[in-house]
Amino acid sequence: QVQLVESGGGSVQAGGSLRLSCSVSVNTYMGYCMAWFRQAPGKEREGVARIDADERTSYADSVKGRFTISKDDAKNTLYLQMNSLKPEDTAMYYCAVFWERLCPFSYAEDEINVWGQGTQVTVSS
């Protein structure tokens, strides 16, 4: 059974950077649409960024220009580079793999095949 393991979370000051990693235990899953989600306390989980099998990317408006999603198929790893972090970026961040190679129009969670366990990001002002 495939497992996704996130790492790289932590505490930073506003304006700082972090790079999250998501290690995928089965390489074939790298060939599907992959995404990062986040959930802040008291809020619903939201899609942040996604990348499809052809490495086309898309971003939520709130992170566009600051976050970059990428993947290294040879290392079975998905990344999220987060720059110019803001306190409102504070959340638990999750990686996820969709059922399809091409990303769906929305970040519909019923189209997610597998989730990671999450890594906490805390940004202080």
Side-chain angles (χ1 to χ4, degrees):
Q1 182 164 342
V2 63
Q3 288 187 323
L4 309 182
V5 180
E6 299 96 333
S7 60
S11 297
V12 296
Q13 289 192 329
S17 297
L18 284 173
R19 188 176 80 156
L20 305 184
S21 298
C22 173
S23 178
V24 182
S25 64
V26 179
N27 179 260
T28 52
Y29 283 77
M30 299 298 296
Y32 291 86
C33 174
M34 306 179 76
W36 288 95
F37 287 75
R38 67 185 181 186
Q39 187 168 22
K43 294 188 176 181
E44 291 188 355
R45 187 158 51 190
E46 62 174 351
V48 173
R50 54 194 177 170
I51 183 168
D52 70 15
D54 297 324
E55 301 198 18
R56 289 172 294 199
T57 60
S58 61
Y59 299 91
D61 287 343
S62 58
V63 306
K64 208 170 287 184
R66 300 188 297 122
F67 290 11
T68 302
I69 188 171
S70 62
K71 62 175 183 165
D72 186 333
D73 291 349
K75 294 184 177 180
N76 289 6
T77 305
L78 176 72
Y79 301 101
L80 185 68
Q81 178 68 43
M82 305 186 295
N83 299 328
S84 303
L85 282 161
K86 303 176 181 180
E88 51 264 45
D89 294 319
T90 295
M92 184 72 78
Y93 283 72
Y94 301 88
C95 64
V97 178
F98 285 80
W99 287 102
E100 303 294 334
R101 291 185 69 255
L102 300 182
C103 293
F105 181 73
S106 67
Y107 287 91
E109 293 195 11
D110 59 359
E111 302 199 40
I112 298 293
N113 181 8
V114 61
W115 292 95
Q117 85 290 349
T119 186
Q120 178 68 37
V121 171
T122 302
V123 184
S124 59
S125 58

